[in-house]
Amino acid sequence: MWDSVGLDDLDGSTYEALVGLRQAGVEDLAAATGSPTGRVRTTIAGLVRRGLATRLPGQPARYAPVPPDLVAAELISAQERRHRQFRSHLQQLATAYAANPASRHPAELIEVLEGAQNVRSAFRRLQDDAVSQVRVFDRPPYFNSAGSGAFEVNEDELQALERSRVTYRVIYERGVLAEPGRMADVWAGVRQGERARLAGALPLKLAIADDRIALVNSTSDFDAQTAYLVHPSALLDALIGFFEATWSRSVALNQPSPGADRAAVAEALTDERRDLVGMLAGGLTDEAMARALDVSVRTVQRHIHTLMDAVGAETRLQLGMELVRHGWA
């Protein structure tokens, strides 16, 4: 395990032997580790330089360990600094690489990701590397890290929003209304600053970081096992354009209603109209709702307009979202 903090096996075994002996000379450590005296002498000198051991006064040379808790904090901190430096270096290389897309072979413009873990890791990296904004198409089915269909909260987004690091613009498919507990997660993101909109149907699962890279599903059944990673190209430009066109046609969830009178809504929500709200959220047509309630289509439409007036909604989608958001549905 010592290699995880930049030490080799002999470094680790020598330090562990020194911790056990409390104080020791080179010969003592060589005997404890079963290693040649010359190698141990070099190793203990390296441990002193790195702050894991101290040389005691007097001759012959004897050494004492720096307490393990202090060593752990310093080694982990140093390794984290190296990781940050390495990450920064790779990001600079990536920026230089992306700045010259014309030099890429066409086969390099789209990566095929295989395996659910690789797809999830790519989504996390895409969010971590975003500089200004992340754009997302969010639609069922959902696949969490355990492989089940239950939705998993995007903690990376919530943390980025909390730090005001990047902007998130997310378009949700209407089907999210039917996912148990999903709307509560949507509103959690909205409260943190996510700009959210609702669309009737989305043909893709999509995530775009800035104008630099996109992650998109590769199969029409939205299998979580494969995805495409799209680099700067005409295809990426088309995906960005498609997102923006869909955004302009979608219903804003962040936009507050002109003012819903709770008493008026409570009065408007008769049992029959509550049933109607559930069917409306499920995407049923007016005719289907009328048959289910055994009323005329005109009665269904009248109920819907009564509810829209009560919550201040201008569209049926806004009606459904307002009722869900306020706990009225």
Side-chain angles (χ1 to χ4, degrees), residues 137-143 149-151 171-180 182 198-206 217 219-223:
F137 278 172
D138 186 303
R139 57 149 298 157
Y142 296 112
F143 302 93
F151 174 76
I171 303 176
Y172 295 94
E173 185 177 272
R174 185 170 56 190
V176 301
L177 294 172
E179 294 288 325
R182 184 68 181 98
L198 193 70
L202 296 173
L204 300 170
K205 284 178 178 255
L206 174 67
N217 60 282
T219 61
S220 57
D221 62 355
F222 302 97
D223 181 7

Side-chain angles (χ1 to χ4, degrees), residues 17-48:
L18 189 57
V19 169
L21 294 169
R22 309 287 291 193
Q23 294 183 14
V26 172
E27 291 78 8
D28 301 323
L29 294 171
T33 60
S35 301
T37 301
R39 288 193 63 197
V40 171
R41 182 175 287 108
T42 301
T43 296
I44 191 66
L47 294 179
V48 171

